[in-house]
Amino acid sequence: MLDETTRLRLPLVRRLEAIGFRAWPAATAQYDGSWLVRMTPGHGSRRLNSINPLDPHDGSDMAGRLERAARQFRDADLVPTVRQTPLTPPGLVAHLDGEGWTRFSETIVMTADIPQHATSDELGHVPLRDLSRFVEARMAIAGDPPESKAALTSVIEAIRAECGLFLFEDVGQGPTAVSLAVQDYDLVGLLLVAVRPDRRGEGIGRDIVGASLRWARLKGARKAWLAVEAENVPALALYRGLGFTEAYRYLYRTPGEE
């Protein structure tokens, strides 16, 4: 049984979930009823490698469906991972609890209206057209291994919505911040936002998010969304300062032994 608060927010959750899947496409996506199984072997993103129940009322044959999906993951040398959102059937949550599936990586999905004054000035920062340069900058800032370049490049290339690749650099010192803005009708998602560790606290994060929102507003977006880990206190403070508020949360579940 869903509580009233959860029931009322389900339409927004459904829309943001659908938009999020399009903004960060997996290599394969298969449905088992209303359960969406997304897999991208070779890429470490849990969102790209997860079992996503999308109807809180679809709890039929939970054990069998979970086992079929888990088998797909293990056959691909992946750890079976359920992404638990407000759309997850309560019965499945209870089943995972009973089977000892671990909870981790709670994430907050946030939204904000893009104010009209976001376009009162000139664009200021034009999106980058060089995908390879953007990916290399993101990897350098995040400390990702070199072998992850091909996987990240392929995911961004698979995005069908219009993208804005934003990169801030200091002459002679390399990249300082990156942001990927994905516009889908009146919504824009902000992904891969990162600031170089030694330059955090200088307002660079606010600036690159602002540049991304100005571009999106000019393209017709009116509301922005993003996902941030609940433990990332500095990022939460940044986004709340920019007017973002919590829409819902999700977390991941894996078998205890794995």
Side-chain angles (χ1 to χ4, degrees):
M1 180 70 68
L2 300 175
D3 61 63
E4 184 67 9
T5 301
T6 300
R7 187 181 66 80
L8 291 174
R9 64 178 171 170
L10 287 185
L12 174 62
V13 175
R14 288 192 178 100
R15 188 178 187 210
L16 291 176
E17 285 291 288
I19 291 286
F21 293 144
R22 292 199 294 270
W24 202 235
T28 64
Q30 299 178 340
Y31 279 95
D32 184 349
S34 63
W35 294 18
L36 176 59
V37 180
R38 288 162 44 93
M39 295 196 303
T40 309
H43 196 291
S45 168
R46 288 184 289 269
R47 192 176 179 89
L48 293 177
N49 295 283
S50 56
I51 304 159
N52 300 266
L54 300 176
D55 183 351
H57 304 292
D58 181 9
S60 63
D61 188 26
M62 290 181 297
R65 294 160 78 182
L66 189 60
E67 178 55 34
R68 286 196 296 272
R71 192 179 308 120
Q72 288 181 260
F73 274 70
R74 294 185 177 111
D75 288 346
D77 292 326
L78 297 169
V79 175
T81 304
V82 172
R83 187 165 161 272
Q84 181 179 311
T85 76
L87 300 179
T88 304
L92 177 58
V93 176
H95 177 77
L96 295 173
D97 290 342
E99 294 296 315
W101 284 53
T102 304
R103 299 169 178 248
F104 65 98
S105 191
E106 184 179 37
T107 299
I108 303 173
V109 178
M110 309 181 79
T111 62
D113 292 329
I114 305 176
Q116 292 186 2
H117 63 70
T119 58
S120 60
D121 299 321
E122 295 182 1
L123 182 58
H125 293 276
V126 178
L128 187 69
R129 294 187 178 276
D130 188 338
L131 176 57
S132 178
R133 184 176 160 200
F134 174 85
V135 170
E136 289 175 356
R138 161 67 193 191
M139 291 169 55
I141 291 173
D144 294 335
E147 57 269 22
S148 67
K149 180 178 180 179
L152 179 55
T153 300
S154 66
V155 172
I156 298 176
E157 287 178 335
I159 300 172
R160 293 292 171 255
E162 186 165 7
C163 296
L165 306 173
F166 289 88
L167 168 62
F168 283 8
E169 295 179 294
D170 278 349
V171 177
Q173 298 183 23
T176 58
V178 292
S179 172
L180 169 62
V182 182
Q183 186 204 350
D184 198 328
Y185 296 99
D186 63 328
L187 290 175
V188 62
L190 302 183
L191 296 86
L192 301 179
V193 180
V195 177
R196 202 170 72 199
D198 66 328
R199 299 298 303 274
R200 293 171 185 167
E202 300 179 15
I204 297 175
R206 173 180 291 270
D207 290 344
I208 200 163
V209 169
S212 303
L213 294 179
R214 284 194 294 274
W215 171 83
R217 177 81 191 191
L218 287 170
K219 292 291 183 178
R222 295 296 178 264
K223 185 181 285 289
W225 65 271
L226 53 84
V228 57
E229 290 194 2
E231 296 181 353
N232 193 340
V233 176
L236 285 170
L238 166 65
Y239 297 135
R240 286 170 179 154
L242 289 169
F244 283 84
T245 59
E246 180 175 333
Y248 64 97
R249 298 187 180 208
Y250 64 83
L251 52 82
Y252 293 94
R253 310 287 300 266
T254 57
E257 69 274 11
E258 298 184 61

